Amino acid sequence: MSDQLLTLESLKGKVVLLNFWATWCPPCREEIPSMMKLNKMMEGKPFAMVCVSVDEGGKKSVAEFFKNTGYSLPVFFDPTGQAPKTYGLTGVPETFVIDKNGIVAKKVIGPLDWSGPEAVAFIEGLMK
């Protein structure tokens, strides 16, 4: 979990998986293992996973959730609530795959197997 300020501008040149999620959301929980696998598969590649928690309990809720489940993701918090508005969030999980130029290439509403061959091929295709 990060306290650092993160901007998409700082990630230019990388394919970004921007995921909005919450600990209380069953579909969010369902996709976490595949996101962890994907993040591991993409190590050393021009890729960044940014998971934004919309939990009202903030860091405490997320830390407790990770401790209890053994899961871990690169989690960021948006105390201003600006990011969900910027992306027109309709619920969670909602994921945006952003190309290396900072343009949304795909929007996924609901859970997805992010470590599946189609998702991996799509993300790797954006890296070329």
Side-chain angles (χ1 to χ4, degrees):
M1 290 182 288
S2 181
D3 284 329
Q4 75 187 46
L5 180 63
L6 181 73
T7 63
L8 278 182
E9 188 64 34
S10 70
L11 298 174
K12 257 211 166 109
K14 293 183 179 185
V15 174
V16 178
L17 185 97
L18 173 62
N19 175 267
F20 291 93
W21 74 291
T23 60
W24 47 260
C25 160
C28 299
R29 290 171 166 219
E30 179 186 314
E31 74 178 351
I32 290 173
S34 74
M35 291 174 67
M36 290 171 57
K37 281 184 202 161
L38 174 68
N39 207 27
K40 189 131 190 84
M41 292 165 74
M42 294 296 158
E43 279 179 4
K45 296 182 180 180
F47 175 80
M49 183 176 288
V50 178
C51 302
V52 179
S53 166
V54 298
D55 280 280
E56 286 182 15
K59 290 179 194 160
K60 186 177 179 201
S61 295
V62 173
E64 200 169 287
F65 171 74
F66 284 160
K67 183 179 168 207
N68 292 335
T69 61
Y71 292 154
S72 105
L73 290 171
V75 176
F76 294 83
F77 299 89
D78 178 20
T80 65
Q82 201 52 47
K85 289 177 188 155
T86 300
Y87 286 89
L89 202 65
T90 59
V92 290
E94 220 163 280
T95 307
F96 300 82
V97 181
I98 301 165
D99 73 13
K100 35 188 196 181
N101 297 312
I103 296 165
V104 175
K106 186 177 191 88
K107 175 181 178 177
V108 177
I109 297 173
L112 187 78
D113 177 0
W114 289 103
S115 60
E118 289 175 13
V120 171
F122 180 76
I123 290 167
E124 287 181 335
L126 291 175
M127 291 178 190
K128 294 177 180 164

